[in-house]
Amino acid sequence: MKNKTPLVLLVFIFVVCLLSGCKEDFKSSALKQHEATYPDIQKKYVYQSLIRLANVNKDPNFEKLIKDVKKIVIYLPPRNDSTYQIKALRTGLYSDGYELLIEGRAAEDMRMSLWVKEFGPRSHYLALVESVDQKLILEVDGQINIEYLMALEMADQNAFMDLIKQGF
């Protein structure tokens, strides 16, 4: 019986981890540093049901894109902080081993980039959105089915941004 105690303890710890959702911490050290630099950063959580509202055209590829996304954490600049920047985060992502998956520019000189880092079979995605008057970081909790990435063009970005501004 004495020899079974460590085994029972190990099984108990394993079960507790499974039930409590123990998982590897995917957060980038650069993102952690960014949060430490700006402790008043605002976070908003957008769950899949709200993300679907941006799919006004009911594009099935958009649904496939976000099928495995649980939520998106949106990091907004601290209120009344005119010094807020995300340039250092971009550099830090390179140092953390993230790869730039896609980058582009949109209207009004908006720069958008999607970053990924592989953790075995899972991936961690971060998106940076920068313009003169707006700087956002989006952290994906879940998996993006990147073969459907072009479906983002069909989504209504204005509807999505309105949801963010309203503070759901």
Side-chain angles (χ1 to χ4, degrees):
M1 285 292 195
K2 291 181 182 178
N3 294 341
K4 290 186 179 183
T5 304
L7 181 62
V8 170
L9 184 60
L10 183 63
V11 170
F12 176 74
I13 291 171
F14 178 74
V15 169
V16 168
C17 277
L18 282 177
L19 294 175
S20 66
C22 290
K23 61 180 181 182
E24 189 175 345
D25 184 15
F26 293 124
K27 189 173 279 192
S28 149
S29 63
L31 184 55
K32 290 177 184 175
Q33 177 59 44
H34 186 76
E35 287 183 276
T37 302
Y38 299 101
D40 294 331
I41 199 166
Q42 304 171 68
K43 290 184 189 178
K44 293 191 178 190
Y45 300 88
V46 183
Y47 293 89
Q48 190 184 70
S49 57
L50 285 175
I51 297 169
R52 285 193 171 121
L53 293 177
N55 189 12
V56 294
N57 296 328
K58 306 295 182 216
D59 180 8
N61 286 338
F62 184 85
E63 293 295 325
K64 292 174 185 173
L65 173 73
I66 66 166
K67 179 182 87 160
D68 299 319
V69 173
K70 295 174 189 151
K71 70 178 178 275
I72 296 177
V73 181
I74 302 171
Y75 297 81
L76 298 163
R79 287 183 169 83
N80 303 319
D81 186 350
S82 61
T83 65
Y84 182 75
Q85 295 292 320
I86 59 176
K87 289 179 186 178
L89 177 59
R90 178 182 299 280
T91 306
L93 290 176
Y94 275 122
S95 300
D96 279 354
Y98 280 76
E99 295 178 52
L100 181 59
L101 188 60
I102 189 169
E103 184 170 44
R105 296 205 181 261
E108 301 171 11
D109 205 25
M110 182 178 284
R111 180 181 183 184
M112 296 174 283
S113 57
L114 180 62
W115 299 77
V116 64
K117 183 173 182 181
E118 303 295 328
F119 291 91
R122 295 190 43 95
S123 302
H124 184 237
Y125 297 94
L126 288 170
L128 306 179
V129 179
E130 302 172 78
S131 70
V132 174
D133 61 342
Q134 191 171 21
K135 292 168 184 59
L136 301 173
I137 303 163
L138 294 93
E139 181 179 25
V140 178
D141 180 5
Q143 298 294 298
I144 297 173
N145 297 307
I146 60 172
E147 61 270 21
Y148 300 105
L149 202 54
M150 295 309 292
L152 284 176
E153 290 181 357
M154 298 299 292
D156 186 351
Q157 281 88 12
N158 290 332
F160 189 67
M161 293 307 289
D162 286 345
L163 287 171
I164 292 169
K165 289 176 185 174
Q166 291 173 10
F168 38 85

